[in-house]
Amino acid sequence: MSGHGHGHDVADDAIRVSRWTRVTVLGLIVLSGLVALAGVVHWWPDERRIDAVQGLVPFTANGIVVVHADLVDVIPACIAVKTATSAPCGDSKARILDGRNAGRTAAVSLTPDVLGTGLQAGDRVLLLDSSGVAAGVPAGQSAFAFYRADRGSSLLWLAILFMVAVVAVALRRGVMALVSLGFAGVVVVGFLLPALLSGRPPIPVTLVSCVLILIVMLYLTHGLSMRTSVALVGALIGVALATLLAWAGITGARLGGLGDDSATLLTFNVHWVHVQQLVVASVLLASLGTLNDVTVTQVSALWELRSASAAMSRWRLLSSAMRIGRDHVASTVYTLVFAYLGTALVLLVAIRLYGGTPYDFLTAEDVAEEVVRTLVGGIAVVLTMPITTAIGTLVVAGASPTADPAAPAGPPTRAPRTVARRATYAAPASVDRYRRLPANPWDVD
């Protein structure tokens, strides 16, 4: 393992990388990073415009506030149509925890679909308190209405379990992956969302955000090395491909977020936000994870293959890595498709209530948008895999003559060019060693 300690698990012998390839790869990354930083400065959010729209759409009606409460007694609400059973029904009871009615026990109606989520006595919920409305509450009607369950604690424990699992399995690499996610969150919340809301162009703003996230995420998680740098170049090319494909797919299908209530809200309240470009940007952002996955895996496979066989020709190296990549791409395609099926399962079941053909179903606005997102992500991953593999094959050292392990220790001697070329193809399989070059974090992995 090389001495710079970036954490890659490689064989003891370092892998040579020529100077011109180092300069080319690092030059592309530095240039991309500088352009992204310039984009952040140029498209920094307009704070005055954000302040102007903050609270533009009221969360609740005037006089209604959201309060926390603990359920004390849970029974289903009585409905107009009686069922065959004579189960008890009525108002549930909840103890108010904050607001003007803190400490009071109030009646609240819980419909069967709400109770179907598994609410029990002792659960914390959020209620809409209308007791302060000027018109007052009609006689016989409760001033409190169910808003939603308070899921903060359950989500927190799930997040803690996720972080513990990541760190326990991936150790230091897992810690750095979590730090990288934190940085991505800062970029999205601190720059991307405010910039989009203030009317900055969605596609360029999302593109520069993705570039910054990829650079920091890959180097923090996988270390400073040529291996990581090649994976990063492949991921950046994949982002460019995903941008072009997303733009062609969304505009070609004439999609504009019309099936999304949030998009409609933006269209009628924030006219300077281009919703169709926002949909394109969402496709681009959604592709980051799979692009990162496929490029890192492919470059890692290349480095391990070269480390295992210094005598392997570049063509054999490319062929072997492509066989690995084809398996990975196939499994990634499954991941993309089933990820959509999982998130849209309720919609897919509900939409069967309507009439029409399967073609009508697939081309509906809300379904077609997700289909395009899945297909664009899949095409970008499929194309990025061979591109990254080819770049990595060119970057790693070519076939090298092997050293005789029985030879006496001493300074290495360079064989004549013709002898070295023959030795490349005649080296015994049991002998597979590279000479070390001077330690350089960008030269070895």
Side-chain angles (χ1 to χ4, degrees):
M1 193 169 184
S2 57
H4 53 87
H6 52 71
H8 283 306
D9 302 324
V10 192
D12 291 336
D13 296 313
I15 294 178
R16 297 181 298 121
V17 176
S18 66
R19 184 175 300 277
W20 76 269
T21 53
R22 290 201 307 273
V23 172
T24 302
V25 170
L26 295 179
L28 288 173
I29 294 172
V30 170
L31 179 61
S32 300
L34 291 176
V35 171
L37 288 174
V40 170
V41 173
H42 181 68
W43 289 306
W44 190 255
D46 185 344
E47 300 294 340
R48 290 176 300 177
R49 179 169 278 187
I50 294 175
D51 292 339
V53 300
Q54 193 75 30
L56 181 64
V57 179
F59 183 68
T60 60
N62 188 29
I64 299 178
V65 296
V66 178
V67 296
H68 293 79
D70 285 336
L71 292 177
V72 176
D73 186 23
V74 176
I75 57 175
C78 297
I79 57 177
V81 180
K82 297 292 184 181
T83 59
T85 61
S86 56
C89 65
D91 286 336
S92 299
K93 303 296 181 184
R95 183 167 56 86
I96 311 302
L97 301 177
D98 49 30
R100 66 173 67 90
N101 294 296
R104 172 185 168 188
T105 299
V108 58
S109 179
L110 299 178
T111 57
D113 58 331
V114 171
L115 290 178
T117 62
L119 281 177
Q120 308 174 22
D123 285 350
R124 184 155 296 179
V125 295
L126 299 180
L127 304 178
L128 297 176
D129 180 2
S130 57
S131 60
V133 176
V137 180
Q141 182 176 330
S142 174
F144 297 90
F146 178 81
Y147 173 48
R148 64 173 174 83
D150 187 353
R151 305 178 181 92
S153 59
S154 59
L155 293 179
L156 176 61
W157 281 111
L158 191 60
I160 292 173
L161 179 60
F162 166 75
M163 291 186 288
V164 169
V166 169
V167 174
V169 173
L171 303 178
R172 185 187 66 84
R173 195 78 61 83
V175 173
M176 300 313 295
L178 294 176
V179 174
S180 300
L181 284 177
F183 173 79
V186 170
V187 172
V188 170
V189 176
F191 169 70
L192 178 60
L193 297 182
L196 295 175
L197 187 59
S198 63
R200 304 309 187 198
I203 297 176
V205 166
T206 305
L207 190 58
V208 300
S209 300
C210 289
V211 170
L212 289 179
I213 289 172
L214 280 175
I215 292 175
V216 174
M217 182 168 60
L218 265 73
Y219 280 136
L220 270 182
T221 305
H222 303 284
L224 296 171
S225 67
M226 279 305 298
R227 180 201 294 233
T228 305
S229 300
V230 172
L232 178 54
V233 169
L236 293 175
I237 293 174
V239 166
L241 289 173
T243 303
L244 296 175
L245 291 167
W247 173 256
I250 296 297
T251 58
R254 302 298 187 264
L255 295 171
L258 301 180
D260 189 347
D261 292 339
S262 300
T264 303
L265 187 69
L266 289 173
T267 301
F268 285 99
N269 291 281
V270 192
H271 61 85
W272 54 78
V273 174
H274 196 298
V275 177
Q276 187 180 53
Q277 290 189 21
L278 202 59
V279 176
V280 175
S282 72
V283 177
L284 174 59
L285 195 63
S287 67
L288 276 190
T290 51
L291 290 174
N292 173 41
D293 178 26
V294 74
T295 56
V296 169
T297 302
Q298 277 307 104
V299 174
S300 181
L302 271 169
W303 251 249
E304 295 295 339
L305 286 169
R306 174 53 79 211
S307 178
S309 178
M312 185 184 295
S313 66
R314 288 191 190 274
W315 179 251
R316 283 188 58 200
L317 185 65
L318 177 63
S319 300
S320 299
M322 283 297 295
R323 284 195 293 271
I324 297 172
R326 282 191 286 269
D327 288 339
H328 189 203
V329 162
S331 62
T332 303
V333 169
Y334 301 151
T335 302
L336 290 170
V337 173
F338 284 107
Y340 166 66
L341 289 177
T343 55
L345 184 60
V346 176
L347 171 64
L348 296 176
V349 172
I351 208 165
R352 297 293 294 174
L353 299 175
Y354 298 95
T357 65
Y359 175 80
D360 296 329
F361 160 70
L362 289 175
T363 55
E365 180 85 18
D366 47 358
V367 177
E369 186 176 309
E370 295 301 329
V371 170
V372 170
R373 181 176 285 110
T374 301
L375 294 178
V376 166
I379 296 171
V381 166
V382 170
L383 295 180
T384 301
M385 187 276 289
I387 292 173
T388 305
T389 306
I391 294 173
T393 304
L394 293 174
V395 168
V396 297
S400 173
T402 56
D404 183 0
T413 57
R414 187 178 299 275
R417 184 178 300 273
T418 56
V419 176
R421 186 176 294 113
R422 292 172 186 167
T424 298
Y425 301 99
S430 60
V431 180
D432 196 18
R433 312 290 288 175
Y434 258 165
R435 287 195 296 271
R436 283 188 182 275
L437 293 182
N440 183 335
W442 300 107
D443 185 37
V444 296
D445 187 75

